[in-house]
């Protein structure tokens, strides 16, 4: 199956990172790294496609509370499933986002509510860099990708845009892909999910008539400033992406070399 000639109806933002160019003229090997949304809404027609992709390992970045309220992933064959929850149920930004979605009282979140949802999303991306479970989960995922036995590797969170998007950025940076190429792939989520996003907004506002679509929309999109917030945090805390990989994620030079050996043509 050639890169990017397939689609999953139940995960419309799914894509192979194969074919993306590195700064030194190589390319990410097709069929090795696959990013998706959660797989619980795959259709019956999607399953043969997933079977041809044949992931050896599926990384699920969701917290157990998210898994509990979602349909179980639909898988083909017997891939190794690794649960690496990147989530902090006690973090005020996460609880604020939940409160907005669930219609809870926002009095306790006066400052966050004043700053708005885009600022909350940027705070979550900064947490991706510094949060304990984020560093543990993303670091473990990179080590799996460096392990040839775990390839092809499929990774997802719930919507397949934020945690999945940052993990894709981490992996692609480690492989030597330019930031502009990474950013373009990250932003493809909006194009691939445009019709679904509008359906979700209608459903959310029907269920919650008091919910302003302008408040909800930033939750359903990816935006350049979200990715910028994570990159800025990497520079602020670690000085460089290489130092973030090493000191933040525990990814050694040997692991980066294995990543490139296994994943680049």
């Amino acid at each position: 199956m050639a890169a990017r000639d397939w689609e999953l109806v139940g995960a419309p933002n799914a894509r192979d990172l194969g074919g993306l160019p590195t700064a030194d003229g190589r390319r990410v090997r097709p069929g090795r790294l696959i990013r998706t949304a959660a797989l619980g809404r795959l259709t019956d027609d999607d399953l043969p496609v997933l079977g041809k992709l044949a992931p050896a390992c599926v990384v699920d970045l969701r917290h157990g509370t998210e898994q509990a309220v979602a349909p179980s992933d639909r898988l083909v064959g017997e891939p190794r499933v690794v649960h690496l929850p990147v989530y902090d149920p006690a973090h005020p930004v996460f609880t604020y986002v939940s409160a907005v979605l669930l219609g809870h009282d926002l009095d306790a979140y006066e400052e966050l509510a004043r700053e708005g949802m885009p600022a909350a999303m940027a705070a979550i991306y900064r947490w991706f860099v510094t949060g304990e479970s984020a560093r543990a989960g993303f670091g473990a995922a990179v080590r799996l990708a460096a392990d040839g036995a775990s390839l092809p590797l499929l990774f997802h969170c719930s919507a397949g845009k934020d945690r999945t998007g940052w993990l894709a950025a981490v992996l692609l940076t480690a492989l030597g892909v330019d930031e502009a190429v990474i950013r373009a792939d990250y932003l493809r989520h909006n194009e691939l999910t445009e019709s679904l996003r509008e359906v979700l907004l209608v459903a959310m506002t029907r269920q919650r008539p008091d919910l302003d679509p302008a408040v909800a929309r930033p939750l359903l999109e990816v935006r350049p400033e979200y990715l910028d917030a994570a990159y800025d945090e990497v520079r602020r805390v670690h000085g460089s992406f290489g130092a973030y990989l090493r000191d933040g994620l525990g990814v050694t030079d040997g692991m980066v070399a294995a990543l490139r050996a296994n994943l680049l043509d």
Side-chain angles (χ1 to χ4, degrees), residues 57-74:
C57 183
V58 173
V59 168
D60 187 342
L61 300 169
R62 294 175 298 175
H63 189 261
T65 56
E66 299 173 274
Q67 293 174 322
V69 297
S72 298
D73 276 359
R74 301 190 72 186

Side-chain angles (χ1 to χ4, degrees), residues 76-156:
V76 178
E78 296 183 354
R80 177 187 178 197
V81 177
V82 181
H83 183 211
L84 299 173
V86 174
Y87 187 77
D88 182 354
H91 193 292
V93 176
F94 286 94
T95 55
Y96 165 67
V97 170
S98 295
V100 169
L101 289 175
L102 297 172
H104 293 168
D105 185 4
L106 297 180
D107 286 349
Y109 305 99
E110 183 178 352
E111 184 176 350
L112 283 167
R114 185 170 61 252
E115 292 178 351
M117 191 59 72
M121 292 300 296
I124 287 173
Y125 274 70
R126 288 192 292 272
W127 176 87
F128 286 167
V129 176
T130 57
E132 185 177 350
S133 73
R135 289 187 297 108
F138 291 135
V142 175
R143 287 189 286 277
L144 281 169
D147 173 12
S150 297
L151 301 174
L153 179 73
L154 183 152
F155 56 97
H156 73 77

Side-chain angles (χ1 to χ4, degrees), residues 166-178:
W166 181 243
L167 177 53
V170 169
L171 288 166
L172 292 171
T173 301
L175 290 170
V177 176
D178 277 337

Side-chain angles (χ1 to χ4, degrees), residues 153-233:
L153 179 73
L154 183 152
F155 56 97
H156 73 77
C157 50
S158 289
K161 66 184 185 72
D162 300 312
R163 288 165 290 190
T164 297
W166 181 243
L167 177 53
V170 169
L171 288 166
L172 292 171
T173 301
L175 290 170
V177 176
D178 277 337
E179 187 177 315
V181 175
I182 294 170
R183 185 180 297 272
D185 178 77
Y186 169 81
L187 292 172
R188 284 190 70 214
H189 170 84
N190 291 340
E191 167 199 340
L192 293 169
T193 61
E194 184 175 5
S195 58
L196 174 63
R197 194 161 60 249
E198 298 310 312
V199 169
L200 287 173
L201 274 172
V202 169
M204 289 167 71
T205 52
R206 184 178 295 135
Q207 189 174 6
R208 290 265 323 283
D210 60 316
L211 180 63
D212 183 350
V215 172
R217 188 178 294 277
L219 271 172
L220 302 179
E221 297 175 339
V222 295
R223 296 185 175 184
E225 56 264 34
Y226 301 167
L227 196 56
D228 288 340
Y231 281 133
D232 289 346
E233 193 73 348

Side-chain angles (χ1 to χ4, degrees), residues 6 13-17 33-35 185-186 188-189 192:
W6 52 270
N13 59 351
R15 54 206 186 269
D16 186 345
L17 297 179
L33 291 176
I34 299 153
R35 56 171 293 181
D185 178 77
Y186 169 81
R188 284 190 70 214
H189 170 84
L192 293 169

Side-chain angles (χ1 to χ4, degrees), residues 238-260:
H238 296 287
S240 70
F241 215 99
Y244 164 60
L245 288 170
R246 183 184 65 247
D247 302 329
L249 301 184
V251 175
T252 66
D253 290 346
M255 292 171 192
V256 171
L259 269 177
R260 294 180 177 180

